[in-house]
Amino acid sequence: MTFTPHGKHLIGGEWIGGDATFRSSPAHGPAHNYAAGTPDLVARACAAAADAFDDYAATSREARAAFLEAIADEIDARADAITEIGTQETGLPEARLQGERGRTTGQLRLFADHIRKGDYLDRRIDTALPDRQPAARPELRMIQLPVGPVAVFGASNFPLAFSTAGGDTAAALAAGCPVVVKGHSAHPGTGEIVAEAIKAAIARTGMPPGVFALIQGGNRKVGEALVTDPRIKAVGFTGSLAGGRALFDLCAARPEPIPFFGELGSVNPMFVLPAAAAARADEIGTGWAGSLTMGAGQFCTNPGIAVVLDGPDADRVVDAARRALADAAPQTMLTDGIASAYREGIDRLGQSNAVKPVLNTDSSDRSAGPNLYETTADEFLGEDSLTEEVFGPAGLIVRAGTPDEMLRIARGFPGQLTATLHSDEADAALARRLLPVLAQKAGRVLVNGFPTGVEVADAMVHGGPYPASTNFGATSVGTLSIRRFLRPVCFQNLPDYILEGDLRG
């Protein structure tokens, strides 16, 4: 099945064009023209979402679950076409797109199961105590309710799982919130075909047509119009620190400030403890290289920094990583802009007097090769720029002279999505010292693994202290992410004649 995009926005259940257009820039295959978003189109989409909110919020959990499952079914029905245009636009291999589609449909179905159970409502009932002294207690019922229309920004590095029908959209729709998606211009055709799947699911399940909208492309003013529209009540974002921070500030400056749930990036440090390095240096170094180069390093959980205790075992870890990276073939990056930013990042590292190169490879156009550098603890602690993310297959080894230096390095990191310990039983004392420090820094702490790959599950946390994300109490992956788009409401002395639905407990 070959998919030819029509290049329009989806607003209020209708495909809508416009005079302003942009042209896609695929890694291979044909380019296509798309209508470009405008602030006026954003306003129309937000108005349709606001009109749909009351009816959609009032739907039963079963009806919303069936809607989420219908979206998943409609995406699966378009599987081959999604893979075809997705690989053309992004340069990602077919297997990666197929796996990401499975994750996308899987999390839609997971949220359907989650809301059917009803636990997310966190219902609490304090019965009335009319005879309590010195004052009676009224009956109190608390429940979580949807916040209202939600804006979602598609991510460049995940055209399916963090974009049109990705985790933010799935969580918001599960909560009972209409969604307006600002599609990413790196993969507009993929966004369009997924929006077609959502439109078909809306028709199948009888949902209000304004419950979902897709606005394609457009300049910065389109994103600004979306987060400042008074009908939008929360924002989900995955992207750069600079772009996310600008939108976060706009949300905070509104007459009615709203929460901005931004996942902004991370260097995801690994700490290789001495006994682990002695026992399996080759395994750790080779595994790290594989994690660094997975998907051309274009994962927000890419482990860009490894901290090792200096000595012969550290040399073995470094040498194993260097050999594995030297054998890695160049890969196509998602966009020209990402490829350019990667080259700027490795140039910055290469020009720093604080680091020395271990392996350099050529990167040109949209092709990226791996690069590896090393530095000392003193140099690392003295140059803040070394903790900045380089989005791509670049690694930095930090050699610590003592365990205390390892702790100093850990305490010096800003907020992270993940932090990893490689340890053996003989490392227990140092691991116990590091673990609480890393838990303060990251939303997910791993032991003897690599952070690329985020399980979609109840216990997952994909977030962390700033600048990893803008809200350390939230996650953008897993069923807990639904809580971002809910607010608690307490009802006092609610009489039986208006008590219905989930409020009954």
Side-chain angles (χ1 to χ4, degrees), residues 213-224:
L214 172 67
I215 303 295
Q216 295 274 33
N219 58 25
R220 183 174 297 178
K221 292 184 184 297
V222 176
E224 293 174 353

Side-chain angles (χ1 to χ4, degrees), residues 42-427:
V42 167
R44 290 175 62 179
C46 293
D51 288 344
F53 175 60
D54 286 345
D55 288 342
Y56 185 61
T59 57
S60 68
R61 288 183 281 118
E62 177 56 41
R64 291 202 303 280
F67 176 39
L68 295 172
E69 290 169 339
I71 296 173
D73 292 343
E74 294 289 347
I75 290 173
D76 281 340
R78 294 160 173 78
D80 291 343
I82 289 172
T83 299
E84 180 184 40
I85 196 163
T87 55
Q88 290 174 357
E89 290 184 324
T90 65
L92 294 171
E94 286 188 6
R96 159 69 193 273
L97 264 295
Q98 290 164 353
E100 192 180 331
R101 175 175 53 80
R103 172 175 169 171
T104 303
T105 57
Q107 62 194 7
L108 285 161
R109 294 182 174 112
L110 177 66
F111 274 113
D113 291 340
H114 185 61
I115 61 175
R116 280 191 177 104
K117 295 173 185 174
D119 294 344
Y120 78 99
L121 296 168
D122 194 20
R123 286 175 287 207
R124 306 180 185 197
I125 301 174
D126 292 313
T127 58
L129 299 175
D131 298 326
R132 189 184 68 173
Q133 296 298 324
R137 184 179 77 183
E139 181 193 74
L140 302 172
R141 292 174 179 258
M142 190 276 284
I143 194 170
Q144 301 282 343
L145 297 178
V147 298
V150 170
V152 171
F153 285 75
S156 62
N157 59 334
F158 278 89
L160 297 172
F162 277 90
S163 290
T164 311
D168 289 344
T169 297
L173 291 176
C177 301
V179 173
V180 178
V181 171
K182 168 67 170 65
H184 200 287
S185 57
H187 41 76
T190 310
E192 181 183 306
I193 193 170
V194 173
E196 285 194 345
I198 299 174
K199 184 177 185 292
I202 289 171
R204 272 179 55 185
T205 58
M207 291 298 169
V211 75
F212 175 84
L214 172 67
I215 303 295
Q216 295 274 33
N219 58 25
R220 183 174 297 178
K221 292 184 184 297
V222 176
E224 293 174 353
L226 182 55
V227 302
T228 57
D229 190 287
R231 290 159 291 208
I232 294 296
K233 301 303 179 184
V235 179
F237 174 90
T238 299
S240 69
L241 175 58
R245 182 56 197 248
L247 295 173
F248 172 84
D249 290 344
L250 285 172
C251 288
R254 288 174 34 147
E256 177 201 0
I258 58 172
F260 178 86
F261 298 103
E263 190 265 281
L264 308 181
S266 178
V267 295
N268 306 293
M270 299 192 322
F271 290 79
V272 183
L273 304 194
R280 43 198 168 85
D282 289 351
E283 177 186 339
I284 292 170
T286 303
W288 182 39
S291 189
L292 277 175
T293 55
M294 184 183 295
Q298 298 169 116
F299 289 95
C300 47
T301 54
N302 189 32
I305 295 178
V307 182
V308 297
L309 200 61
D310 199 13
D313 294 325
D315 295 342
R316 291 171 53 217
V317 172
V318 173
D319 192 52
R322 180 193 58 76
R323 292 195 309 269
L325 291 172
D327 290 339
Q331 298 178 69
T332 301
M333 301 201 86
L334 290 158
T335 69
D336 293 329
I338 290 174
S340 176
Y342 175 64
R343 291 193 296 272
E344 291 172 4
I346 57 178
D347 286 347
R348 171 172 56 80
L349 286 172
Q351 293 167 10
S352 171
N353 293 326
V355 305
K356 67 177 185 179
V358 176
L359 174 72
N360 285 139
T361 63
D362 292 331
S363 298
S364 59
D365 299 323
R366 275 175 73 166
S367 178
N371 291 270
L372 187 63
Y373 305 87
E374 68 176 16
T375 188
T376 65
D378 285 341
E379 295 282 11
F380 182 77
L381 291 167
E383 189 165 326
D384 290 343
S385 66
L386 296 181
T387 64
E388 295 176 7
E389 180 183 28
V390 177
F391 195 62
L396 174 65
I397 300 117
V398 183
R399 292 178 179 261
T402 65
D404 284 343
E405 277 196 339
M406 272 194 163
L407 280 160
R408 284 179 57 211
I409 292 168
R411 292 190 181 103
F413 276 107
Q416 303 291 324
L417 293 171
T418 75
T420 301
L421 282 175
H422 288 277
S423 70
D424 281 358
E425 190 170 353
D427 294 313

